[in-house]
Amino acid sequence: MKTVRLGLRREVLILLPVALLLLVVLSTFTLFSFRSALALLNEERQEEAARLAAQAADRLRDRSGVPTPMDLQALVPQARSLAVVKGDGEALAVSGDLPSGGLLAPAEDQDLSEPVGAGPNEALPDGVAGFAPLDIGGGDRWVRVDLPAGVLAGQQRALSVLSVVVLGLNAALLLLVVSFLRHLMAPWETLLERARQMGAEQEAGEGEIEFLVATFERAMANLEAKRPEDDIAALERTLSSSLQSGLLLLDRAGRVLSLNPVAAGLLGIEPPAPGTPLADALASQPELRDLLASAVAGKSAPQRVELTIRAGGSIGEIRSLGLTVHPLRRDDGGVRGWLVLFADLTEVQRRAEESRLAESLASLGEMAGGVAHELRNSLATLRGYLTLIERRPDEESIADYLAEIRREADHLERVLQDFLAFARPGTARLEEVDLAGLARRAAADPSLAGVEVKVRAAADVRLRGDAQLLERALRNLLHNAAQAQAEAGREEPVEIGISILRGMDGGVELAVEDRGPGVSEEIRERLFHPFATGRRGGVGLGLALAHRIVTLHGGRIRLEDRPGGGTRALLFFPADTIVTQGNQTLGAGSPLPEGSGEPQAQSS
């Protein structure tokens, strides 16, 4: 026979009150058993005291005169005390220590014509006493024998306290069980009430359990008679009224179940009837039709894709849609349908393009303003010297004027070279570059005006890249460092450090450190922007060009304050860097084409 499991919660709900009831029964039974045992023990102790008193009385009847204490002690050696008592409670002879109070008080409510026992009680709190009648010289006389019963008296006192505690706790447990049973039976009462509210009638002789089972069976029959609502249709009704984007529901065979008005408006079609094949419903949108047909066929289910369509067919408005396709799965993992959500991204993309164009125009305007500023200053200087030459053509100082004109022309040429180098870095010639040798060549540049440069490099640090472009970037950083130290009046050497980074990714770090005034706060956020300079007479293309070259090699560059004063420029290159253009590696002598976008750097 198979055992029916009720479940942990139900077993606890049933077993807990049963356990409490058993606890009440067992504790009550134990208490009364203990009480009965103490009563029997007390009765036996009293009978023993009465028997010893009767034996002593029998022996004293054969003697004449009043017995001495020694005679009394010899009669009952184990007695705590023994006495011959008159009817008024006075002692004629005593052996041992008698309790205070009347000597017949412990048995005053008993018939003393026969041997009796008494105690422990109020008159005899820690012992028992036996009384037996004795006739000596006429009058009423009794023999009293006291036996110790301290343990028995203590147990009786403990029993009184224990009875109050146990009976009180049992009463509380019974109240708790009754309250718990009411809580346990509440669902049962609720089920009965709901069954009666459903209009079911309880037949004569039918128990509550049979009534509930019959009601439940009738309810299940009514549910089975009704056709269950299709969950996909319920999903469509729920989402169609709340979504502001396009919604398309397909069954697992690819038939259209629903197309909400927003989606129909975006596609420029009429909502098809439920069950229309996907090919017929989206005949005017072949790209979208093919994409969804591929997802239904199990080839691909794009989570996020952008698609360009023409609403209403070949003559409609061009729109960009953001599309997501989600399979609707059953509990067993099988696909029961497809949920397609899409939104119109046309306006979003138009605004993004306008924003990019505005940013490009702003950058172009900033660069044009920088070039115009440099050209205007240089032209003003040239015009001034030419005016002086025209006014005084025969003076000896004309040679100095011509030298200044030549110097200003050189400055203009440098501005143009830097501008062209920034716009188009030049030809990429990939080779194994010795960074230490490259740093020493850059440190030997005569234009550094005698500034000492120290190079600290790890042994044989090599990088795959364009040596000329990397040397140009390093020269620009050294020029900035030398000019910064000259402005600050410092004569310490500029330091170049090259180290190999240890770690998961590895790489090479090159540091250029000076003791100049540091980077000012107003220029810090625009360090690598074209024509952004915080130095008097600076063009502002050196850092921008260095940043472009380092980025071209897949590296990173940043400037930070040097401890103790000055600036530290840090260049990081990943291990085994190569320079690529799109998906094609630039070979030696391959030019970087104009207008082709920013070159990309990848690691080989």
Side-chain angles (χ1 to χ4, degrees), residues 49-274:
R51 179 177 54 81
L52 292 175
Q55 291 178 358
D58 290 342
R59 293 179 182 177
L60 289 175
R61 289 191 190 101
D62 298 335
R63 297 185 183 183
S64 60
V66 177
T68 64
M70 296 298 293
D71 295 335
L72 294 178
Q73 185 177 3
L75 293 176
V76 185
Q78 69 270 31
R80 185 170 62 180
S81 63
L82 192 149
V84 177
V85 184
K86 296 189 298 182
D88 57 1
E90 293 183 2
L92 293 176
V94 177
S95 173
D97 296 329
L98 290 174
S100 60
L103 297 181
L104 297 178
E108 61 184 2
D109 58 345
Q110 301 187 45
D111 184 9
L112 296 180
S113 62
E114 297 291 337
V116 296
N121 52 28
E122 294 181 359
L124 196 62
D126 58 349
V128 294
F131 298 88
L134 173 67
D135 284 333
I136 300 178
D140 295 331
R141 300 289 186 272
W142 288 268
V143 176
R144 171 175 170 169
V145 176
D146 288 86
L147 299 178
V151 176
L152 179 60
Q155 290 178 344
Q156 288 182 341
R157 289 191 293 270
L159 177 63
S160 301
V161 177
L162 186 62
S163 298
V164 174
V165 173
V166 172
L167 293 178
L169 288 177
N170 287 347
L173 288 177
L174 288 176
L175 291 176
L176 180 62
V177 169
V178 171
S179 176
F180 194 83
L181 288 176
R182 290 181 58 188
H183 172 72
L184 184 62
M185 296 303 295
W188 179 267
E189 298 294 338
T190 302
L191 284 175
L192 285 176
E193 183 64 25
R194 293 296 296 170
R196 295 188 181 100
Q197 290 177 1
M198 292 177 62
E201 295 183 359
Q202 188 172 358
E203 299 179 359
E206 185 180 23
E208 291 180 345
I209 296 179
E210 292 80 3
F211 172 63
L212 286 177
V213 171
T215 304
F216 176 77
E217 290 178 350
R218 285 192 292 269
M220 291 300 297
N222 292 335
L223 288 176
E224 292 177 357
K226 297 180 180 179
R227 180 178 180 271
E229 183 182 19
D230 184 72
D231 50 359
I232 296 183
L235 176 66
E236 187 273 332
R237 284 197 302 273
T238 302
L239 295 180
S240 294
S241 58
S242 57
L243 282 180
Q244 298 299 319
S245 57
L247 168 67
L248 172 62
L249 280 173
L250 306 174
D251 63 11
R252 60 181 179 180
R255 292 184 294 268
V256 176
L257 296 178
S258 176
L259 182 71
N260 71 344
V262 177
L266 291 177
L267 299 178
I269 61 176
E270 293 295 328

Side-chain angles (χ1 to χ4, degrees), residues 500-508 556 572-577 603-604:
I500 300 176
L501 300 179
R502 306 297 180 185
M504 183 178 297
D505 298 328
V508 177
R556 302 188 302 272
F572 169 78
F573 298 96
D576 302 327
T577 301
S603 297
S604 60

Side-chain angles (χ1 to χ4, degrees), residues 451-452 481-494 514-518 562-566:
V451 175
E452 182 182 0
Q483 292 174 6
Q485 289 203 164
E487 290 180 5
R490 305 292 291 268
E491 297 182 356
E492 291 90 340
V494 176
D514 64 62
R515 290 297 182 185
R562 184 183 182 185

